[in-house]
Amino acid sequence: MTDRKEELAVNLAKVEERIAAACAAAGRKREEVTLIVVTKTYPASDVRVLSELGVRHVAENRDQDAAPKAAECSDLPLTWHFVGQLQTNKVRSVVGYADHVQSVDRSRLVTALSNEAVRAGREVGCLIQVALDAGASGRGERGGVAPDGIAELAELVARSPGLRLDGLMTVAPLAGEYAGRELAAFERMMDLSTDLRRAHPAANMVSAGMSADLEQAVAAGATHVRVGTAVLGVRAGLG
Ligand SMILES: *Cc1c(COP(=O)(O)O)cnc(C)c1O
């Protein structure tokens, strides 16, 4: 094994142990939680190694980096998740490789995704990104729609050709009433998911929890955790 493969294998094993322990503590089956490795800022060679180590879900947050990486890794059995703020002029590119877009937060983006998915003959799974710290504008600093905007956006996704409504995504807020209260934030997400599933029973994905707070997300009931740093290492610079 190369040094990098060894390093990623050790890190993955630690993350796997944390997820398993969190599931056990919550009385959940390990299979109820899917690990998504966030590979942003890391090279395609790392994605390839992760695939060799058994990772099946990866996530990226910038199309400029993700598009060439996904192209280089198109021979691998991977599911690609897009988790970053998405401009409509990038939608055509993203639809080319993303199986799931987790950052759906406005109607204009839904329309663009639908048009491009139909054009490409693809079905794109959409998660509504929820901003639990949304201000008066109804939107979060880092994207996302306020809880009271979920239903309308979900309805629009559900009736848009080429799109499938998969569930909800959030990032634990750094400000507002949930700052520093990750478990409470993720429990609120589960309540919002319950509401969503009344109208859309199949939209059962709840994507929450990152390297620092995956235990709280699993405890609350998340179905998907998005882990970057704990697997790949601390990112240099922005990301
Ligand atoms: C970077 C990122 C992650 C992973 O964060 P880590 O703290 O590195 O685990 C998860 N979700 C989103 C939306 C991200 O941008």
Side-chain angles (χ1 to χ4, degrees):
M1 253 197 241
T2 62
D3 287 354
R4 183 57 169 160
K5 188 167 186 180
E6 188 78 52
E7 182 185 359
L8 293 183
V10 167
N11 290 348
L12 261 183
K14 282 187 198 150
V15 167
E16 179 52 47
E17 222 170 273
R18 287 175 60 190
I19 296 172
C23 284
R28 302 181 65 194
K29 295 201 191 82
R30 172 63 189 88
E31 312 85 79
E32 292 175 31
V33 179
T34 299
L35 169 65
I36 303 171
V37 178
V38 183
T39 50
K40 64 189 180 194
T41 78
Y42 286 95
S45 55
D46 278 351
V47 177
R48 192 162 288 278
V49 169
L50 289 168
S51 177
E52 287 165 13
L53 292 170
V55 168
R56 290 295 169 259
H57 293 263
V58 293
E60 288 282 332
N61 73 334
R62 285 171 207 262
D63 176 61
Q64 301 92 299
D65 302 331
K69 230 185 274 187
E72 252 185 86
C73 295
S74 61
D75 59 315
L76 303 176
L78 292 170
T79 297
W80 291 78
H81 299 255
F82 191 86
V83 299
Q85 289 189 47
L86 181 51
Q87 296 163 295
T88 48
N89 64 349
K90 297 287 198 298
V91 164
R92 180 170 296 185
S93 173
V94 168
V95 163
Y97 56 88
D99 302 287
H100 301 268
V101 174
Q102 298 206 0
S103 42
V104 175
D105 63 357
R106 59 201 192 280
S107 54
R108 238 166 68 81
L109 182 55
V110 175
T111 308
L113 282 164
S114 175
N115 289 342
E116 293 300 335
V118 168
R119 188 180 160 278
R122 282 178 65 101
E123 183 175 73
V124 177
C126 293
L127 284 78
I128 309 290
Q129 182 181 345
V130 181
L132 291 171
D133 58 349
S137 65
R139 302 184 41 81
E141 292 275 323
R142 301 164 66 194
V145 65
D148 64 8
I150 296 171
E152 189 181 335
L153 210 48
E155 207 50 58
L156 181 59
V157 171
R159 44 164 217 270
S160 293
L163 305 183
R164 182 184 67 244
L165 181 67
D166 281 345
L168 302 178
M169 182 273 257
T170 202
V171 178
L174 298 172
E177 60 170 315
Y178 289 107
R181 299 171 61 225
E182 290 82 8
L183 182 61
F186 297 145
E187 284 174 342
R188 172 91 170 106
M189 274 291 281
M190 294 311 298
D191 290 341
L192 296 170
S193 170
T194 302
D195 292 345
L196 177 71
R197 279 176 286 135
R198 276 197 199 100
H200 308 277
N204 58 6
M205 282 175 66
V206 179
S207 174
M210 318 200 299
S211 293
D213 54 20
L214 72 88
E215 280 85 1
Q216 288 91 333
V218 171
T223 62
H224 291 69
V225 292
R226 309 179 308 271
V227 180
T229 312
V231 173
L232 289 142
V234 176
R235 289 177 294 275
L238 283 178

